[in-house]
């Protein structure tokens, strides 16, 4: 058994999620931001990689929601790089940091899960399930999203395409990492679209 996993993110019209220097760019429309706020309420947890924490310093909470009703925040951090000052470590919501067995670091206000030295993502989500996490909303970044697709455990994929061109051959994309996520590519079953302001939301189901 494992949690239900929904990958949700936003990209520019040329398929980028940030600038080539990893600078955050506002891509989502106000309508999409409202959608994401409501979407977060539907999940037990919100997950990002440590790169997103360092670059964007997000709260990963739902506006106006109390501690007990906020989703659990989860950070994939193999080498313990999450700063002690990171907003995901504040007291607005519970936090879990997933790292590897070689990392001995601990954080105030966070529970630590240690996996094998390669940080096996399947092992990680099984441990989260054992802790009562039955659903995960994965929000980035590109390498973290890639690890879930490579593991074949994404149940739903939604992506908002904004009305902006970023450019740059080294700019990060929604699914980064080295090489193919699956031989010859991973097929998706289209489930619908919705215009949100000046952008469009696309919904897919991965076919493994």
């Amino acid at each position: 058994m494992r949690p239900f996993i929904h990958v949700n993110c936003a990209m520019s019209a040329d398929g980028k999620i940030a600038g080539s220097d990893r600078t955050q760019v506002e891509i989502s429309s106000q309508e999409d931001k409202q959608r994401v706020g409501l979407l977060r309420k539907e999940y037990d947890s919100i997950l990002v990689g440590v790169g997103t924490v360092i670059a964007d310093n997000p709260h990963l909470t739902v506006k106006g929601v109390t501690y007990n009703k906020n989703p659990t925040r989860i950070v994939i951090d193999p080498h313990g790089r999450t700063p002690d000052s990171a907003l995901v470590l504040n007291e607005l919501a519970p936090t879990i940091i997933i790292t590897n067995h070689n990392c001995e670091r601990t954080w105030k206000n966070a529970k630590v899960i240690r996996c094998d030295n390669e940080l096996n993502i399947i092992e990680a989500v099984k441990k989260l399930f054992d802790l009562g996490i039955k659903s995960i909303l994965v929000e980035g970044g590109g390498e973290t999203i890639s690890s879930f697709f490579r593991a074949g455990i994404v149940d739903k994929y939604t992506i908002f395409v904004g009305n902006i061109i970023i450019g740059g051959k080294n700019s990060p994309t929604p699914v980064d990492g080295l090489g193919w996520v699956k031989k010859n590519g991973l097929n998706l079953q289209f489930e619908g679209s919705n215009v949100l302001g000046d952008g469009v939301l696309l919904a897919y189901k991965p076919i493994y």
Side-chain angles (χ1 to χ4, degrees):
M1 297 289 289
R2 64 165 177 83
F4 180 89
I5 295 171
H6 178 176
V7 171
N8 178 74
C9 59
M11 72 177 184
S12 65
D14 60 331
K16 313 296 185 180
I17 62 174
S20 58
D21 58 355
R22 303 284 166 165
T23 298
Q24 184 180 18
V25 180
E26 188 166 313
I27 297 173
S28 290
S29 64
Q30 287 301 316
E31 293 85 351
D32 186 54
K33 290 178 181 178
Q34 293 171 2
R35 175 192 69 88
V36 173
L38 294 173
L39 184 64
R40 285 180 171 185
K41 293 181 180 180
E42 300 176 10
Y43 285 82
D44 294 339
S45 61
I46 303 168
L47 183 148
V48 299
V50 66
T52 297
V53 171
I54 292 172
D56 303 340
N57 198 21
H59 284 277
L60 298 184
T61 55
V62 179
K63 187 176 181 180
V65 174
T66 61
Y67 177 92
N68 290 332
K69 294 184 179 180
N70 255 315
T72 297
R73 302 172 293 195
I74 302 171
V75 179
I76 302 291
D77 186 1
H79 305 295
R81 297 192 296 135
T82 300
D84 290 328
S85 59
L87 293 176
V88 293
L89 297 174
N90 63 28
E91 297 180 352
L92 295 179
T95 300
I96 297 173
I97 294 180
I98 301 176
T99 188
N100 66 47
H101 284 302
N102 284 340
C103 177
E104 299 180 353
R105 191 174 170 193
T106 60
W107 292 264
K108 183 180 180 180
N109 298 326
K111 180 180 180 62
V112 177
I113 292 178
R114 303 188 194 278
C115 296
D116 66 33
N117 293 337
E118 296 298 322
L119 211 163
N120 185 302
I121 203 69
I122 294 178
E123 177 190 0
V125 297
K126 285 181 177 178
K127 288 187 175 184
L128 290 169
F129 188 85
D130 291 341
L131 290 175
I133 301 294
K134 301 299 188 292
S135 59
I136 302 173
L137 183 63
V138 180
E139 294 191 351
E143 290 190 13
T144 296
I145 290 174
S146 175
S147 69
F148 279 87
F149 278 118
R150 288 174 187 278
I153 55 175
V154 176
D155 299 293
K156 185 173 183 177
Y157 178 46
T158 51
I159 185 159
F160 176 81
V161 183
N163 64 329
I164 184 175
I165 296 289
I166 295 175
K169 65 179 181 180
N170 295 321
S171 297
T173 68
V175 186
D176 271 344
L178 298 175
W180 299 81
V181 294
K182 183 181 178 182
K183 185 178 180 180
N184 298 321
L186 174 64
N187 290 324
L188 303 172
Q189 177 181 311
F190 180 65
E191 294 193 324
S193 62
N194 189 18
V195 175
L196 296 174
D198 289 328
V200 61
L201 178 71
L202 304 174
Y204 299 94
K205 179 180 179 180
I207 302 173
Y208 296 108

